[in-house]
Amino acid sequence: MITQYVADLPEGKTIPDFQCKPAAVTIQEGKVAVFKATVNGDPKPDVSWRRAKGTISNKDKFQSKYDDSTGEYILEIRNVSVDDTDTYKCCAVNEYGKAVCPTTLTVNEAKPSDFRKLLRKSKTERGGGETDERFWEVMLKADRKDYERICSDFGVVDLHLALKKVEEKKREKKQKRSKDDAIPLNEDREKQTVQNIGRIKDFGVKGQMLTSTELNHVNLEKVNVLNLTDTEEDHFHPTEFEISKVEFVIKIQEIKVQEGDNALFECVLTHPLPRITWMGKGIVLKAGEKYGITVTDHKLIHRLLIRDCQQLDKGIYSAVAGITSCSAWLVVEDPGVHFICGLSDVNAIMDQTAELSCKLSSEECEGAWFKDGKKISPDDHFTITKDGAIHKMVIIKCTEEHSGKYRFEADGRKTEAMVNVKDPPRFDPENLQTFCDPVTVKVGHNAIFKLHFVGHEPITIQWYREGEELHDDSITRIEKSTSHSRLLLSRCQRKDTGEIKIKLKNQHGFTEETSQLIVLAFPGPPAPPKVISTSDDCINLSWDSPSKTGGSRILGYILEKRKKGSNLWKVVNAMDELIKGKYAVKDVMAGMAYEFRLTAINLSGAGEFSNASEFVFARDPKKPPGKVTGLKVTETSYTHLVLTWNKPKEKLGIQDEANGYFVEIRQADCIDWSRCNTSPVIMTSYNVKGLKSMDMYWVRVIATNDGGESAPEELANYVLAMPSPVRPKFTNHTMKSFMVVRAGNSVRITVNFEASPVPDIMWLKDNVPVTRRATVSNSDGSSQLLITSSERYDSGIYSVLVKNLVGQETFSTEVRVTDDPKPPGPVELEENVPGTVTVIWEPSPDEKRDDRLHYTVSKLDSTKRAWTTVADRLFNNKFTVCNIMQGREYHFRIYAKNDIGISAPSESPTWGIEKKKEKFVVNVPSGKDCDLLCAPTFIVPLKLHTAPKGYECYMSCAVKGNPKPRITWYRNHVSLNTNTNYYISNTCGVCSMLILRVGTKDMGEYSITAENALGRAECSTALSVRE
């Protein structure tokens, strides 16, 4: 796993990566496990090892090392045990990233057997090596992986010869056993009953076979096995199986290779096998990066390739095919003179030196240097040195011609590397030191940064301030050339203080340098001076430094004083006599009051003056004041109380005048007093806030002056946090005593009051407590009754009763819930007196349940176009209309009205008969035709109208024009011609509009336009609606 810490890697830098990863290791208990890894990265990474289920802090067991010659990081685990089986990780880290590569260690548990007892015995009674029968007894019973160690313990030097003799003894023992057991033979195969084969623990059908007896790759047909315990080695049970007849035609041979070369073992079998087992130094080998295991297509030739042989790889290697095996030595020889460390690629900088070096295994060997195939000799461009086994070549001053491939040859060996000469941007060293020094300027002044450089063109130049790139603008100017760049910052301010960075970049690389800009400003105002002590001839002051120093240290302060009542400030100390954090003012007059202020001085000059101190008298210390008098409570509430008191009297030489007071309280169940004001109050009254409702408090007042504090004056009784008793009274003077509500709408009655203590509130309807239909909400100082959807039976008189210990108050409101009335019944007409008509109608169905319902009578004369109201607010069902003219037709309409609105009309029958007219003949003299075409004009304009809410409103005007103009009515400039709520007519130039029931929505400006082909005319009016 590879982790990159930064988004963009600098040029030439790399994160860690594994060139050669650590391989998994399977090893026998008691051996040494070795992990190797090769890591690259620039800068060189730090490499560490760790395990998943424990630590590797035991240095005796876990040893981590680095091999300079091979560049390998090695972890050795000595005397491994089963507990060391784990996942191990190699971690490589540098500043740009991290690489982690896991691997595993598997430790096989050693199998106890009797030969180990013999081996332990042989260590104490060591005999004569090969002639010791105990040696051969142990070798015959041991696993092949233990042969090398047993030979070492018994002092046998020729391991190869010992292995041959062991094989011969095993064959002799098998032949003898087969004769005794009389095993029959078959043409295709041999069937054997084997006695005393040993402890068979693992089996593989038609495959791997008998790991503990080294029987591999045999085809089993029948296996009947009874496992033997460690104490039953003299008891044998018959086992019947088939053994394939495989022998080695050509066995593996001893191989000698040079260190670093590859070694190849090869064997040829008599019968084809898909695979055989390869073992190295007693360990089964597996194909991987180190070992290559191959077999030919005909399955007869098997090969083992050992790559990059090292001294650790030398030893005995075996090929096991079935029950047959062969072994041979691998000898790794020192190759003679070789490179311990070869050449590495170098990225050189133009006009600078570049060095190539390598290290040989011998200090005596000489070598030669070549560039692009041509031999290099020392001259003005190259120096060649030899320090023991280390050979160096230095390019004195690199140019583009020095780029190329360089080679070093010695004793027939060679190593090569590339030198790439680059010309990245570089700063002039002398000019760089000046640039890096901080630039200090005052506020409003200019700051200049300039730096020379060299490098391959083109070079990109960028300037930054506090990480933000700068560009040309009104206060920033950047000058660029091929050899230098200049940054000008105009009218610098304090906020411009910070890091200034220049960055150069070309195709060969980049570089950057930083400097600092310090903008000095005037210091801020200090804190007001504080009076430490006073006397008749001296006042001692102190003060705190200003929070804003202006970017430089404070050099000192200038102090000024002013007498009380004067406008003139006088300097206490001169400019060349700056003072520090405190000062004793001695130029004072006894009994005179003074105030002081000061300003801070830094490198930029004097800053702002501080606020003036409090007035202080130049006099000897005062005596503490006496106790206050007349302490009392003037106002209380649930959260506060107000105190007043009288100033204490002065007594010469005993108590002086008080110049402030402290108020302290404590709850009745608490013994500690808490001070309500942190600084003394001058007034002789104080509002104590933050009390808990209905809690009891003790209160006291302490007078103070420059001489100290007086004894406290305490109230004789505790104070209860509640308001003073107040009789309930209503505070909302706009409450209505009568309201009309349309059925279905909500009824909401709200009253505001003040009372103390909190009163009880009761709502009544017709002197009976309201039902659950009404929701009552009470809060501090108000109460509300709400009926969400009213019905007619909710009508009545609602009363609210507000009552406390002091008294009570009542307010009543009549609520009438009604709806639009239904129209009256049929209308009849009678003539009781000539010239009059009596209109009689049936009452509206709502008359019985609405005592405020009344009627309105309207009349329409056949000679007029408009209805006129002849009677209103009639509470009976008849009305006599006068002034009825003969020969005219009359129509009457009866409306029912209530507090909500008006009903639809009930129409009367037609009254009167139209008088027959005699034929009227007019003789019109003939005359000339005249042109009657004219543009529209209003001959009678609209009038202003004010109508009661719920009543009808009639507007009319007269217009003339030929051809007949088109009439359009507007309200607030919106056309009404298509609005069905308005009745519009135009008869012979008389234009009228009727609004049956006027509401507040009908208020506004009304206008009428008349338009024909010859012109256009307009007339307007306004409608107001009153309640």
Side-chain angles (χ1 to χ4, degrees):
M1 182 179 68
I2 298 177
T3 303
Q4 184 170 321
Y5 293 157
V6 295
D8 298 319
L9 289 174
E11 188 173 356
K13 303 298 181 181
T14 59
I15 60 176
D17 195 6
F18 286 87
Q19 280 187 320
C20 181
K21 299 181 179 179
V25 174
T26 302
I27 196 169
Q28 196 70 21
E29 190 177 56
K31 298 289 185 178
V32 177
V34 180
F35 292 108
K36 297 181 180 180
T38 304
V39 184
N40 60 6
D42 188 12
K44 185 177 180 180
D46 297 325
V47 178
S48 60
W49 298 83
R50 66 174 185 267
R51 60 183 295 186
K53 300 179 181 178
T55 63
I56 57 173
S57 58
N58 187 352
K59 300 300 182 182
D60 296 332
K61 185 176 183 67
F62 301 90
Q63 293 189 1
S64 178
K65 58 182 74 173
Y66 174 75
D67 190 340
D68 289 329
S69 61
T70 61
E72 293 178 328
Y73 294 89
I74 302 172
L75 174 65
E76 290 185 358
I77 308 175
R78 301 181 181 276
N79 191 21
V80 297
S81 62
V82 177
D83 294 336
D84 297 324
T85 299
D86 201 350
T87 298
Y88 291 76
K89 294 182 180 180
C90 182
C91 302
V93 181
N94 67 9
E95 63 185 276
Y96 300 111
K98 176 176 73 173
V100 179
C101 183
T103 186
T104 58
L105 171 62
T106 304
V107 180
N108 294 327
E109 185 178 3
K111 299 178 178 61
S113 57
D114 287 347
F115 83 88
R116 295 190 182 275
K117 300 177 183 177
L118 296 174
L119 182 59
R120 287 195 294 270
K121 184 177 179 182
S122 66
K123 291 181 179 179
T124 57
E125 302 176 5
R126 190 173 297 275
E130 298 91 330
T131 60
D132 191 345
E133 289 299 327
R134 288 174 298 176
F135 168 75
W136 299 113
E137 186 177 355
V138 171
M139 290 289 284
L140 288 173
K141 293 183 178 182
D143 289 338
R144 291 181 178 273
K145 62 181 180 294
D146 296 320
Y147 284 171
E148 186 176 358
R149 181 169 53 80
I150 296 172
C151 291
S152 175
D153 291 340
F154 279 89
V156 176
V157 178
D158 193 348
L159 178 61
H160 188 62
L161 180 61
L163 291 176
K164 288 183 178 180
K165 289 185 178 182
V166 169
E167 294 296 328
E168 292 176 359
K169 287 182 178 292
K170 285 185 177 180
R171 282 195 294 271
E172 292 174 0
K173 194 173 182 179
K174 290 178 183 178
Q175 291 174 2
K176 182 179 179 181
R177 190 177 296 154
S178 63
K179 290 179 181 180
D180 295 340
D181 295 338
I183 303 174
L185 298 176
N186 196 331
E187 293 180 1
D188 300 329
R189 60 196 179 190
E190 297 177 348
K191 244 186 179 181
Q192 301 180 2
T193 302
V194 180
Q195 309 267 344
N196 197 17
I197 293 298
R199 298 168 184 77
I200 303 174
K201 296 184 179 179
D202 299 308
F203 300 94
V205 178
K206 296 184 183 298
Q208 294 289 338
M209 169 73 180
L210 304 177
T211 60
S212 60
T213 58
E214 299 179 352
L215 299 179
N216 298 297
H217 303 288
V218 296
N219 295 323
L220 300 182
E221 187 178 82
K222 296 178 181 179
V223 179
N224 297 312
V225 179
L226 291 175
N227 293 332
L228 304 178
T229 64
D230 291 342
T231 60
E232 294 175 332
E233 61 182 34
D234 295 331
H235 297 80
F236 307 101
H237 299 273
T239 305
E240 189 175 30
F241 55 87
E242 297 179 3
I243 303 175
S244 61
K245 190 175 181 180
V246 177
E247 295 290 342
F248 286 96
V249 177
I250 299 176
K251 299 181 179 182
I252 61 175
Q253 304 296 322
E254 180 179 308
I255 298 177
K256 294 183 180 180
V257 296
Q258 299 292 326
E259 188 174 354
D261 293 343
N262 297 338
L264 179 65
F265 287 102
E266 185 177 75
C267 63
V268 181
L269 304 179
T270 58
H271 292 80
L273 278 182
R275 60 181 179 274
I276 64 174
T277 301
W278 290 94
M279 302 182 69
K281 297 190 289 186
I283 301 174
V284 177
L285 305 180
K286 296 181 180 180
E289 294 182 359
K290 182 66 177 178
Y291 303 102
I293 299 176
T294 58
V295 61
T296 57
D297 294 339
H298 47 68
K299 311 299 182 184
L300 292 177
I301 302 176
H302 294 259
R303 297 184 179 92
L304 169 65
L305 176 65
I306 304 173
R307 304 182 181 93
D308 189 20
C309 294
Q310 303 295 326
Q311 293 297 326
L312 291 175
D313 297 323
K314 67 181 179 181
I316 297 176
Y317 290 80
S318 304
V320 182
I323 62 173
T324 307
S325 64
C326 59
S327 303
W329 273 89
L330 171 62
V331 180
V332 181
E333 298 178 343
D334 191 330
V337 176
H338 60 278
F339 287 100
I340 296 177
C341 180
L343 298 177
S344 298
D345 292 343
V346 174
N347 289 324
I349 304 300
M350 185 75 73
D351 298 330
Q352 297 183 11
T353 60
E355 180 181 288
L356 291 171
S357 65
C358 59
K359 184 177 181 181
L360 296 173
S361 60
S362 172
E363 297 184 0
E364 306 299 330
C365 186
E366 298 293 336
W369 292 88
F370 298 86
K371 177 185 180 294
D372 296 332
K374 296 182 181 180
K375 188 173 182 181
I376 300 174
S377 300
D379 55 15
D380 294 339
H381 301 289
F382 301 95
T383 60
I384 299 175
T385 59
K386 176 178 178 294
D387 184 7
I390 298 175
H391 296 257
K392 292 184 180 179
M393 183 198 70
V394 177
I395 304 174
I396 300 173
K397 189 174 182 180
C398 293
T399 62
E400 292 184 0
E401 290 76 12
H402 291 133
S403 296
K405 181 184 289 187
Y406 289 78
R407 184 175 74 253
F408 179 77
E409 295 184 356
D411 195 22
R413 297 180 180 272
K414 64 181 179 180
T415 177
E416 294 180 342
M418 292 296 297
V419 173
N420 297 314
V421 179
K422 297 185 176 181
D423 191 12
R426 303 179 302 284
F427 295 110
D428 183 359
E430 296 180 359
N431 188 241
L432 180 61
Q433 182 59 42
T434 304
F435 172 81
C436 292
D437 293 336
V439 175
T440 303
V441 297
K442 293 182 179 181
V443 169
H445 290 203
N446 299 339
I448 299 175
F449 296 87
K450 185 177 181 181
L451 198 57
H452 291 267
F453 53 82
V454 295
H456 187 273
E457 297 181 5
I459 297 177
T460 302
I461 304 170
Q462 294 171 298
W463 287 89
Y464 296 86
R465 180 176 60 206
E466 286 297 311
E468 183 178 353
E469 187 174 357
L470 298 174
H471 301 281
D472 283 331
D473 54 27
S474 60
I475 61 173
T476 304
R477 183 178 179 184
I478 300 175
E479 299 177 1
K480 301 177 182 179
S481 71
T482 58
S483 62
H484 75 277
S485 181
R486 181 173 178 265
L487 171 65
L488 172 63
L489 299 175
S490 304
R491 302 185 299 280
C492 294
Q493 302 297 321
R494 277 288 297 156
K495 65 180 181 179
D496 297 327
T497 297
E499 181 186 78
I500 301 296
K501 179 171 69 176
I502 181 174
K503 184 176 181 180
L504 307 179
K505 185 177 181 180
N506 65 7
Q507 63 182 10
H508 292 161
F510 75 95
T511 185
E512 60 184 34
E513 285 296 339
T514 60
S515 183
Q516 291 290 327
L517 172 61
I518 301 173
V519 182
L520 301 180
F522 295 108
K530 300 177 182 177
V531 178
I532 300 175
S533 62
T534 63
S535 64
D536 288 343
D537 57 357
C538 181
I539 299 176
N540 291 301
L541 303 173
S542 68
W543 54 86
D544 295 329
S545 300
S547 59
K548 297 180 180 180
T549 62
S552 62
R553 66 184 183 89
I554 301 299
L555 302 177
Y557 301 88
I558 295 178
L559 180 66
E560 293 185 349
K561 66 178 181 179
R562 181 170 66 176
K563 294 179 182 180
K564 189 172 184 179
S566 173
N567 294 326
L568 180 63
W569 286 95
K570 183 179 179 182
V571 178
V572 176
N573 61 302
M575 185 69 180
D576 56 351
E577 297 177 359
L578 298 180
I579 58 178
K580 300 301 181 182
K582 59 183 178 179
Y583 190 72
V585 183
K586 297 182 179 181
D587 184 19
V588 294
M589 295 178 61
M592 184 66 69
Y594 295 90
E595 62 179 341
F596 300 90
R597 69 178 186 181
L598 70 158
T599 181
I601 308 295
N602 68 359
L603 296 177
S604 297
E608 299 178 30
F609 275 97
S610 68
N611 293 330
S613 68
E614 296 179 356
F615 280 102
V616 58
F617 288 89
R619 62 187 176 188
D620 291 335
K622 282 187 173 184
K623 297 289 184 181
K627 295 170 63 175
V628 301
T629 60
L631 178 62
K632 61 182 179 180
V633 178
T634 59
E635 182 183 339
T636 60
S637 73
Y638 294 114
T639 59
H640 84 286
L641 61 88
V642 178
L643 298 172
T644 61
W645 59 88
N646 298 323
K647 295 178 61 175
K649 296 181 179 180
E650 291 187 59
K651 294 182 180 179
L652 187 61
I654 299 175
Q655 59 188 39
D656 287 334
E657 181 185 9
N659 57 12
Y661 305 91
F662 291 105
V663 177
E664 295 182 343
I665 64 171
R666 69 175 178 88
Q667 290 177 289
D669 56 352
C670 182
I671 62 173
D672 295 327
W673 291 89
S674 60
R675 187 159 285 186
C676 301
N677 51 315
T678 56
S679 58
V681 294
I682 301 175
M683 304 296 293
T684 57
S685 65
Y686 189 77
N687 187 356
V688 181
K689 299 180 180 179
L691 303 182
K692 292 184 178 179
S693 177
M694 302 305 292
D695 272 10
M696 294 182 294
Y697 292 89
W698 294 95
V699 183
R700 68 183 187 183
V701 176
I702 300 172
T704 182
N705 62 12
D706 295 338
E709 296 181 355
S710 70
E713 175 66 17
E714 187 174 341
L715 286 174
N717 298 315
Y718 63 82
V719 179
L720 187 62
M722 61 170 287
S724 301
V726 176
R727 188 179 187 279
K729 63 178 180 180
F730 295 104
T731 59
N732 186 0
H733 300 293
T734 61
M735 294 186 297
K736 297 180 179 179
S737 59
F738 177 78
M739 65 172 61
V740 179
V741 179
R742 185 185 296 276
N745 291 354
S746 63
V747 176
R748 190 186 307 267
I749 306 173
T750 303
V751 295
N752 297 324
F753 59 85
E754 61 180 24
S756 178
V758 176
D760 295 326
I761 302 173
M762 179 182 294
W763 284 88
L764 306 172
K765 178 192 174 187
D766 298 329
N767 296 322
V768 177
V770 295
T771 63
R772 292 185 178 181
R773 276 185 53 77
T775 302
V776 176
S777 302
N778 298 323
S779 62
D780 187 14
S782 67
S783 181
Q784 182 186 81
L785 180 139
L786 173 65
I787 302 174
T788 55
S789 180
S790 61
E791 301 292 343
R792 287 182 182 268
Y793 56 75
D794 290 321
S795 299
I797 297 176
Y798 288 83
S799 303
V800 57
L801 175 64
V802 182
K803 181 179 180 180
N804 66 2
L805 298 175
V806 184
Q808 67 181 34
E809 189 71 24
T810 302
F811 177 78
S812 299
T813 299
E814 182 181 355
V815 176
R816 183 173 297 278
V817 179
T818 184
D819 207 341
D820 290 331
K822 296 179 181 177
V827 180
E828 297 179 358
L829 301 177
E830 295 179 356
E831 183 180 17
N832 296 323
V833 178
T836 65
V837 173
T838 300
V839 183
I840 304 172
W841 62 89
E842 294 294 328
S844 168
D846 294 331
E847 183 176 311
K848 293 182 179 180
R849 54 181 178 178
D850 192 347
D851 58 355
R852 294 174 64 87
L853 184 139
H854 56 277
Y855 300 95
T856 299
V857 179
S858 296
K859 179 186 70 171
L860 177 63
D861 191 337
S862 59
T863 62
K864 298 180 180 179
R865 294 292 181 179
W867 288 84
T868 59
T869 300
V870 295
D872 194 8
R873 300 192 65 81
L874 299 176
F875 288 90
N876 57 4
N877 303 114
K878 97 162 69 167
F879 181 74
T880 300
V881 182
C882 301
N883 300 322
I884 300 300
M885 306 296 295
Q886 293 293 329
R888 297 182 182 180
E889 287 185 355
Y890 292 91
H891 295 271
F892 299 93
R893 288 177 178 174
I894 313 301
Y895 297 91
K897 288 186 177 181
N898 63 8
D899 295 318
I900 287 296
I902 188 169
S903 70
S906 293
E907 300 280 352
S908 70
T910 303
W911 177 263
I913 299 174
E914 196 172 311
K915 184 179 179 181
K916 292 184 178 180
K917 296 182 179 180
E918 297 179 356
K919 187 175 180 181
F920 181 74
V921 179
V922 178
N923 295 321
V924 179
S926 60
K928 295 181 179 179
D929 293 336
C930 63
D931 185 7
L932 299 178
L933 297 178
C934 66
T937 57
F938 285 92
I939 56 179
V940 178
L942 291 172
K943 297 180 180 180
L944 294 175
H945 291 268
T946 300
K949 183 177 180 181
Y951 288 80
E952 66 181 20
C953 178
Y954 181 81
M955 298 182 185
S956 64
C957 62
V959 63
K960 71 174 182 177
N962 191 14
K964 183 179 180 180
R966 183 169 59 86
I967 305 300
T968 305
W969 286 84
Y970 295 90
R971 184 176 70 85
N972 295 334
H973 308 291
V974 178
S975 175
L976 302 177
N977 282 24
T978 59
N979 194 325
T980 58
N981 294 326
Y982 301 88
Y983 297 94
I984 298 173
S985 63
N986 181 11
T987 305
C988 298
V990 177
C991 304
S992 61
M993 180 179 68
L994 176 64
I995 306 173
L996 286 181
R997 285 187 295 175
V998 175
T1000 55
K1001 61 182 179 59
D1002 296 315
M1003 290 192 301
E1005 179 185 357
Y1006 287 80
S1007 59
I1008 182 172
T1009 61
E1011 186 175 4
N1012 63 11
L1014 300 179
R1016 181 176 183 273
E1018 181 177 354
C1019 184
S1020 63
T1021 186
L1023 172 62
S1024 300
V1025 179
R1026 67 171 183 268
E1027 294 292 336

